[in-house]
Amino acid sequence: MINAIEINNLCKKYDSFALENISFSLPKGYIMGLIGPNGAGKTTTIKLMLNMLKKTAGDIKILGLDSVADQNKIKEIIGAVFDANYFVQDWTVKEVDKTIGIFYSNWDSEKFKTMIQRFGLDLNKKVKELSRGMQMKLMVACAFSHDAKLLILDEPTSGLDPVARDELTDLLSEFIEDGEKSVLFSTHITSDLDKIADYITFISNGNLFYTGTKDEFVDGFKIVKGGNKDITAEQEKKIIGIRKYSTGFEGLIKSSDIRNFGKLECEAASIDEIIVFTSKGGKDNE
Amino acid sequence: MKIIISNTSGIPIYEQIKDQVKSAILSGEIEENELMPSLRQLARDLKISVLTTTRAYTELEQEGFVTNVQGKGCYVMGRGSELIREQLLRDIENNLTIAIRSARRAEVSEEELTNMLKILMEDEEND
Amino acid sequence: MSNIIKLVQLDKALLKPYYKYFLVMIFATVPMMFGFKAIIPSIVFAMSMIAMTSNYTFSVAEKNDLNRLYGLLPVSKKDIVAGRYFFTAIIGFVAIAIMVVLNLIVLTIAKVTITNEEVLLGIGSGIIVYFLFTAIQLPGLFKFGSLKGRLFSFVPFIGIFSASASLNSIRISDTSPSFSLEILNSPYALLIFAVLTGVVLYGISLGISQKIYDKMEL
């Protein structure tokens, strides 16, 4: 079966930053969370997928199509939601339909209007008069209206209230329900992903840290806690990231190392904790 | 069928789904050959990952509670299914073992215990 | 529908908030027409003014951060550039048509007689001025954007100055051109020459802009 996304050894070199050897794939019909601290390379990866940046090496395939050679075909089947909308602020919602619609061979104006109505948007309102949540929905409506097969979201929930965030995750589940469409969701608000993501790709400082199912990701790490005297130097070496405070410490370990921490209290780690501790560990090593 | 997800129970979500589907089947709440909600529908309704519902259904299939018909969906297996009967027998054994242990602690004799069982069974039948 | 036509339509939609400025600009040239009392300098003047609006599309795109939209649309970067050139050319032709009509009306009111040759020469010089200036401006705008490249939008001032300067030298009586090349003394030939010059200028400029834009990362 063709993967929705297939990225192999993707590199992008800048003077001060480099995205190095990123490889991951997303099977059709699933949601992948692209996570990592700010500046990790999430947006760079997305822009490379859209051929907005030129890759230094590697290759990107979207539903079997090459990101450079078949870029127009790919863009016909990609919908995107960014942290801010990409329309002219003075356009009305109706003008978005008219102006953007002509570019897509699959554009369904009726569907657009149905979505707009469902979202409670006003066709005659200008883009700049819409709230952040409404603008997000307008971008989603566009993606749905040209029958996008892959929805790429780059920090879509920053600045959204919990209600709008919840509506978005609902829309994503609806989007992939037929099993043919897929979602790549870059965010640093991992609570959006805790439940709905099937796969996780974690990039840190331009390097791939993990890619695979979310369950394995979350199960792969544990938080270990204890008093400052409870931990040996040997054990500390096994800790990926640690936070020490006056009365104790907590750290992130690999679940496979759990037997080395015998008596210490271990508990499940959240995606957030994994990100926080791995980036802390990274700093300590510098 | 009722399926609710608890985020604080500490039990993995796929386990929670499995347990609730099983008890719905065993209690007869859902009938043999009834169509289960689709994987993606259930994921959407519960706002969880498709892989999670997939795992729950796959394990339910392995345990003989449901059967997957390619292209149609997941159907509930009859309660008469060998595997389910096996599971029920195991449940009975476990529960009886608990009863026996409690009986020992309370110094209830074997005769009294079997009497209790008979009385309870008669009560059940009269209901 | 070809991608270039779609992009022309997108550009048209970009300029929507600027339509009123175009109207203002067109009517602002009317008093100048009365002043010049000659079609050639007034068209040169007007087309130089219009050429200064070529940065509007860039400026709307920049203000609204449309790079992401351009990155998303199923069109190549080359088409995006070509669409912008087509759109700018269309603006030019429409503007010339309007200017000729306006001039004829103004000159009739001002009771200035005007020959067909003068009209053709006016159109020809309008085309050359507009296409020359925009051909210089567009690569600069693609390279630097409308804000950093705003210097390029002032290029047509040269035309405005020369039109004003010519007011003193060119009198209505001696508009008959005298080129060393005999063929160019025919107004029809000059018109064809103007169109060809426009095409060549745009061809070169388009090639440069496409190279510039293709190298850019959005």
Side-chain angles (χ1 to χ4, degrees):
Chain A
M1 199 183 70
I2 299 172
N3 281 327
I5 302 173
E6 179 90 54
I7 294 183
N8 281 310
N9 299 315
L10 180 66
C11 299
K12 172 72 185 170
K13 293 208 162 48
Y14 289 107
D15 295 338
S16 55
F17 171 79
L19 196 66
E20 276 173 296
N21 283 320
I22 303 292
S23 301
F24 64 87
S25 60
L26 171 63
K28 209 161 66 173
Y30 294 95
I31 298 177
M32 175 181 273
L34 181 60
I35 58 171
N38 285 334
K42 302 190 294 283
T43 300
T44 306
T45 307
I46 287 175
K47 284 190 165 178
L48 286 164
M49 290 173 66
L50 292 167
N51 199 24
M52 289 163 84
L53 301 176
K54 290 194 191 320
K55 62 194 182 198
T56 313
D59 62 54
I60 303 172
K61 287 210 156 56
I62 310 283
L63 285 159
L65 298 164
D66 184 82
S67 69
V68 178
D70 307 313
Q71 75 138 348
N72 287 3
K73 274 187 206 157
I74 286 178
K75 286 173 185 178
E76 282 267 1
I77 52 170
I78 285 186
V81 176
F82 292 137
D83 57 345
N85 77 83
Y86 40 79
F87 307 113
V88 174
Q89 303 302 307
D90 280 308
W91 285 351
T92 60
V93 173
K94 209 190 279 175
E95 282 169 319
V96 170
D97 175 24
K98 265 196 341 205
T99 328
I100 305 301
I102 54 169
F103 285 94
Y104 297 95
S105 51
N106 281 332
W107 188 268
D108 183 347
S109 211
E110 282 312 307
K111 192 168 182 185
F112 182 83
K113 291 192 181 93
T114 313
M115 296 291 289
I116 292 302
Q117 198 170 21
R118 181 180 145 194
F119 293 155
L121 292 168
D122 182 349
L123 277 172
N124 297 311
K125 257 208 174 154
K126 287 187 174 176
V127 172
K128 63 180 170 196
E129 292 161 358
L130 302 174
S131 68
R132 272 283 294 116
M134 295 286 193
Q135 294 184 354
M136 178 271 287
K137 286 178 191 164
L138 180 58
M139 292 186 269
V140 173
C142 283
F144 276 58
S145 303
H146 71 266
D147 198 25
K149 299 281 185 263
L150 172 65
L151 188 57
I152 296 181
L153 304 104
D154 192 10
E155 302 288 356
T157 52
S158 60
L160 288 190
D161 62 40
V163 179
R165 296 220 315 256
D166 184 66
E167 284 171 330
L168 178 66
T169 48
D170 252 3
L171 284 167
L172 298 184
S173 299
E174 179 186 332
F175 185 73
I176 62 155
E177 201 183 336
D178 68 0
E180 289 298 314
K181 305 189 181 102
S182 326
V183 172
L184 180 70
F185 189 143
S186 132
T187 184
H188 56 252
I189 307 171
T190 55
S191 59
D192 295 332
L193 298 169
D194 276 340
K195 282 175 161 187
I196 61 157
D198 300 299
Y199 295 89
I200 291 284
T201 293
F202 177 17
I203 299 177
S204 182
N205 209 2
N207 290 287
L208 184 71
F209 185 86
Y210 173 87
T211 183
T213 66
K214 181 191 67 193
D215 287 350
E216 275 172 47
F217 181 61
V218 177
D219 293 346
F221 297 94
K222 290 278 183 285
I223 294 287
V224 59
K225 291 178 180 176
N228 282 323
K229 285 178 188 154
D230 297 344
I231 183 172
T232 63
E234 196 63 27
Q235 284 173 327
E236 206 171 326
K237 270 188 203 153
K238 292 268 182 203
I239 294 183
I240 298 164
I242 192 165
R243 182 178 77 90
K244 287 182 177 166
Y245 46 97
S246 59
T247 57
F249 78 94
E250 55 178 0
L252 185 78
I253 57 165
K254 282 197 171 137
S255 296
S256 52
D257 291 333
I258 202 162
R259 60 199 148 72
N260 297 311
F261 293 87
K263 279 179 296 179
L264 290 166
E265 195 182 322
C266 285
E267 57 183 46
S270 70
I271 299 177
D272 261 348
E273 283 170 325
I274 300 172
I275 296 183
V276 168
F277 279 112
T278 46
S279 44
K280 268 189 186 163
K283 265 175 207 153
D284 286 349
N285 292 340
E286 270 173 16
Chain B
M1 179 178 46
K2 182 179 84 177
I3 299 181
I4 48 168
I5 300 294
S6 158
N7 288 325
T8 47
S9 66
I11 303 167
I13 295 173
Y14 74 93
E15 283 283 2
Q16 295 184 35
I17 298 173
K18 270 175 65 182
D19 289 347
Q20 291 174 61
V21 172
K22 273 190 208 170
S23 48
I25 295 175
L26 294 177
S27 70
E29 197 190 320
I30 41 176
E31 304 277 333
E32 183 174 350
N33 290 331
E34 204 173 304
L35 182 64
M36 299 276 293
S38 82
L39 285 174
R40 286 173 180 275
Q41 176 70 46
L42 188 65
R44 187 182 160 188
D45 290 347
L46 298 176
K47 298 187 176 185
I48 54 174
S49 143
V50 182
L51 285 182
T52 306
T53 53
T54 309
R55 180 163 180 189
Y57 275 33
T58 312
E59 293 190 7
L60 281 169
E61 190 176 10
Q62 282 163 0
E63 291 171 28
F65 285 89
V66 298
T67 178
N68 189 28
V69 181
Q70 198 64 44
K72 288 208 170 147
C74 239
Y75 290 90
V76 176
M77 295 275 270
R79 262 184 295 165
S81 145
E82 258 327 285
L83 280 161
I84 293 187
R85 202 180 142 71
E86 194 64 36
Q87 172 96 19
L88 285 170
L89 286 175
R90 225 181 308 143
D91 278 357
I92 296 169
E93 279 169 14
N94 287 342
N95 289 322
L96 285 177
T97 314
I98 294 169
I100 293 166
R101 280 187 196 142
S102 303
R104 272 194 203 131
R105 250 182 277 153
E107 295 183 343
V108 174
S109 73
E110 194 186 317
E111 199 179 337
E112 278 170 305
L113 187 65
T114 40
N115 261 337
M116 277 167 88
L117 181 66
K118 273 183 194 151
I119 292 166
L120 284 173
M121 281 172 78
E122 276 163 26
D123 281 356
E124 255 325 88
E125 274 159 32
N126 293 337
D127 274 351
Chain C
M1 199 171 14
S2 129
N3 283 343
I4 294 175
I5 297 172
K6 291 176 192 170
L7 284 155
V8 168
Q9 273 178 311
L10 177 60
D11 273 356
K12 204 178 106 199
L14 292 190
L15 280 195
K16 204 192 111 204
Y18 282 101
Y19 285 170
K20 46 185 183 286
Y21 295 106
F22 275 97
L23 279 178
V24 169
M25 189 170 297
I26 286 168
F27 286 106
T29 57
V30 173
M32 298 304 290
M33 294 176 190
F34 278 105
F36 285 130
K37 283 200 174 61
I39 193 164
I40 298 169
S42 39
I43 285 187
V44 168
F45 176 82
M47 290 317 291
S48 304
M49 295 276 287
I50 300 288
M52 285 176 70
T53 67
S54 66
N55 68 328
Y56 285 6
T57 41
F58 290 86
S59 137
V60 176
E62 208 166 287
K63 271 188 202 142
N64 291 282
D65 203 3
L66 293 189
N67 269 348
R68 288 166 311 164
L69 177 64
Y70 285 118
L72 272 182
L73 294 175
V75 290
S76 68
K77 281 178 156 181
K78 281 201 159 77
D79 284 351
I80 292 172
V81 176
R84 182 63 47 86
Y85 272 80
F86 252 85
F87 181 71
T88 313
I90 291 170
I91 294 267
F93 284 120
V94 172
I96 286 179
I98 294 173
M99 287 307 159
V100 168
V101 174
L102 274 179
N103 262 292
L104 291 178
I105 296 169
V106 166
L107 293 177
T108 314
I109 294 170
K111 297 202 170 80
V112 178
T113 47
I114 180 163
T115 61
N116 280 346
E117 280 78 20
E118 279 175 304
V119 175
L120 290 174
L121 283 175
I123 295 172
S125 41
I127 289 173
I128 289 185
V129 165
Y130 181 80
F131 281 80
L132 173 67
F133 290 148
T134 49
I136 297 170
Q137 288 172 311
L138 290 174
L141 291 167
F142 272 110
K143 175 90 189 164
F144 301 106
S146 80
L147 203 63
K148 278 192 228 156
R150 64 181 171 276
L151 202 67
F152 285 90
S153 33
F154 295 121
V155 167
F157 265 124
I158 304 164
I160 294 173
F161 285 130
S162 59
S164 313
S166 70
L167 187 62
N168 305 321
S169 55
I170 302 178
R171 294 266 68 97
I172 310 148
S173 51
D174 54 48
T175 40
S176 64
S178 56
F179 287 96
S180 53
L181 223 62
E182 187 58 34
I183 188 165
L184 292 180
N185 287 329
S186 149
Y188 291 99
L190 190 75
L191 192 60
I192 292 165
F193 171 75
V195 172
L196 285 178
T197 311
V199 170
V200 171
L201 283 172
Y202 260 36
I204 297 167
S205 174
L206 174 67
I208 296 171
S209 291
Q210 281 178 333
K211 274 221 176 78
I212 290 172
Y213 195 64
D214 200 44
K215 269 193 205 135
M216 273 206 329
E217 303 206 308
L218 301 178

